[in-house]
């Protein structure tokens, strides 16, 4: 793997829920570590509430990390110089949201919405601005006449293409895609995923692709990280994770994927609910739902074990 452009080391994020003597905190992200190389896509999967979107928002500076270190393009955006370092790399990263309709101002024409990053960055006169809008619409497969229309005149898939065009405006190198296709139907999902992969090949982009759909993640990712209750429980190259999952939670996620063809096999369906993130357990956070948990799993946090080339998992029983 080439030199990482994104590095997270033991990153934690807590949110205060109350003040005073009985103050409580939500432990949303717990000691998350991973890296992303140039032109790589890391898929981040897990059930709702696992902390995936919080990680994405910390990477683009929406939330500051409570502890740990985040480095983007070699600059630390979690230390004393976080604001200055984030400003220095701001043009090199972008964010694509789950709901394109909510991400676009309904009162702005599409051309103005796409050009908003150009206007903020400055340095684009009227002719360069219009030319860039046309180029961006071409990139995402929309007609240039779309610039004079409003978001409500487009389908959900087309609106997501508009959001992607806006994300590309300043020629970023890294894009966080937060459930970027989950609000679309299957045919539109395929079109947007293919567009993202084509843009990656054309411009050398890197992605953090956050999703809960394992089929979509498999089609787009280079490596996959599995997140549960705020922690990364397994990370591996795509093929290794789907063919030889080592963590019980990863196996349960894969068992939950519907199958149309092939012989039926026994599946391990998860029972119960994730633990409270206000008062997280001392041991493995998956222990209360794990079918093979032992006593030590409930009292001792599992270490990260290397189980193959680029393949790591956090489980006492590996």
């Amino acid at each position: 793997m080439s030199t990482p452009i994104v590095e997270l080391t033991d990153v934690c994020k807590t949110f205060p829920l109350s003040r005073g003597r009985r103050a409580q905190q939500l432990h949303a992200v717990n000691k998350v570590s991973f890296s992303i190389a140039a032109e790589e896509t890391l898929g981040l999967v897990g059930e709702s509430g696992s902390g995936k979107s919080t990680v994405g928002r910390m990477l683009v500076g929406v939330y500051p990390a409570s502890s740990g270190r985040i480095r983007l393009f070699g600059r630390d955006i979690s230390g004393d110089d976080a604001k200055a370092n984030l400003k220095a790399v701001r043009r090199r990263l972008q964010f694509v949201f789950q709901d394109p309709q909510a991400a676009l101002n309904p009162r702005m024409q599409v051309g103005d919405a796409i050009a908003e990053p150009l206007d903020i960055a400055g340095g684009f006169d009227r002719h360069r601005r219009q030319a860039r809008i046309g180029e961006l619409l071409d990139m995402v497969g929309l007609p240039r006449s779309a610039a004079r229309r409003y978001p409500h005149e487009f389908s959900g898939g087309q609106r997501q293409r508009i959001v992607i065009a806006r994300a590309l405006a300043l020629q970023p190198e890294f894009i966080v895609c937060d459930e970027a296709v989950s609000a679309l139907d299957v045919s539109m999902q395929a079109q947007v995923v293919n567009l993202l992969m084509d843009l990656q090949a054309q411009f050398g982009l890197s992605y953090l692709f956050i999703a809960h759909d394992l089929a979509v993640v498999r089609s787009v990712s280079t490596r996959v990280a599995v997140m549960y209750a705020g922690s990364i429980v397994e990370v591996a190259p795509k093929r290794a994770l789907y063919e030889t999952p080592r963590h019980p939670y990863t196996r349960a996620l894969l068992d939950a994927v519907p199958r149309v063809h092939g012989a039926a096999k026994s599946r391990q369906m998860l029972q119960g609910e994730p633990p409270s993130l206000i008062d997280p357990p001392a041991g493995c956070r998956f222990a209360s739902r794990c079918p093979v948990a032992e006593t030590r799993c409930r009292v001792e946090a599992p270490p990260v074990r290397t189980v193959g080339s680029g393949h790591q998992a956090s489980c006492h029983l590996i």
Side-chain angles (χ1 to χ4, degrees):
M1 185 183 298
S2 60
T3 303
I5 62 171
V6 177
E7 296 178 273
L8 281 76
T9 306
D10 292 334
V11 172
C12 298
K13 180 60 184 176
T14 58
F15 294 97
L17 299 179
S18 57
R19 300 179 181 276
R21 295 178 59 186
R22 304 182 68 179
Q24 292 182 313
Q25 290 184 322
L26 178 73
H27 299 266
V29 174
N30 178 56
K31 294 185 178 180
V32 164
S33 299
F34 62 76
S35 62
I36 303 174
E39 301 185 39
E40 182 188 27
T41 298
L42 177 68
L44 184 59
V45 301
E47 57 195 292
S48 297
S50 61
K52 308 184 300 297
S53 293
T54 302
V55 170
R57 283 164 168 75
M58 285 193 289
L59 277 176
V60 296
V62 174
Y63 298 147
S66 299
S67 63
R69 188 177 73 169
I70 301 175
R71 293 180 66 84
L72 297 177
F73 305 102
R75 293 178 177 268
D76 190 344
I77 66 163
S78 54
D80 295 336
D81 298 325
K83 289 185 177 179
N85 286 338
L86 184 60
K87 184 177 181 180
V89 300
R90 177 72 73 182
R91 293 180 64 149
R92 302 173 71 180
L93 62 134
Q94 283 295 330
F95 200 102
V96 175
F97 293 92
Q98 175 179 352
D99 185 355
Q101 185 167 352
L104 295 169
N105 187 336
R107 297 184 178 183
M108 291 180 68
Q109 290 184 337
V110 164
D112 292 331
I114 290 175
E116 199 169 14
L118 307 177
D119 298 337
I120 294 171
F124 287 82
D125 60 30
R126 184 170 63 87
H127 296 291
R128 286 186 63 204
R129 183 180 185 272
Q130 289 303 113
R132 184 60 177 161
I133 291 170
E135 291 172 0
L136 292 165
L137 288 170
D138 291 341
M139 287 178 194
V140 298
L142 291 175
R144 295 195 174 201
S145 59
R148 297 186 296 275
R149 297 163 62 188
Y150 289 87
H152 72 270
E153 300 179 63
F154 297 88
S155 67
Q158 289 172 324
R159 283 195 290 266
Q160 194 61 288
R161 288 172 181 266
I162 294 167
V163 172
I164 293 170
R166 182 173 61 183
L168 294 171
L170 295 176
Q171 299 178 309
E173 299 168 49
F174 172 59
I175 299 178
V176 176
C177 300
D178 186 9
E179 301 279 9
V181 298
S182 63
L184 307 177
D185 60 49
V186 175
S187 62
M188 287 297 104
Q189 283 185 2
Q191 291 182 26
V192 173
V193 165
N194 287 336
L195 171 63
L196 290 171
M197 295 174 70
D198 290 343
L199 292 170
Q200 182 176 45
Q202 184 177 357
F203 300 110
L205 299 172
S206 300
Y207 296 127
L208 175 65
F209 193 87
I210 300 170
H212 59 266
D213 188 326
L214 289 166
V216 172
V217 170
R218 185 171 191 167
S219 68
V220 75
S221 300
T222 311
R223 292 184 300 130
V224 181
V226 180
M227 197 165 185
Y228 180 79
S231 298
I232 299 287
V233 298
E234 186 165 5
V235 60
K238 174 178 60 178
R239 182 173 181 177
L241 187 125
Y242 281 83
E243 295 183 0
T244 57
R246 301 301 301 273
H247 196 279
Y249 178 62
T250 307
R251 291 197 291 268
L253 284 182
L254 293 173
D255 279 346
V257 176
R259 293 180 176 85
V260 178
H261 302 292
K265 70 172 187 176
S266 61
R267 299 187 182 190
Q268 182 65 54
M269 296 293 104
L270 288 180
Q271 304 295 323
E273 298 293 332
S276 169
L277 295 183
I278 298 175
D279 185 22
C284 175
R285 295 190 173 191
F286 186 59
S288 62
R289 304 174 74 188
C290 181
V292 295
E294 297 179 347
T295 301
R296 65 172 174 168
C297 299
R298 295 178 172 84
V299 296
E300 181 185 343
V304 177
R305 301 179 186 274
T306 298
V307 295
S309 178
H311 193 162
Q312 295 181 320
S314 299
C315 180
H316 289 299
L317 304 180
I318 295 174

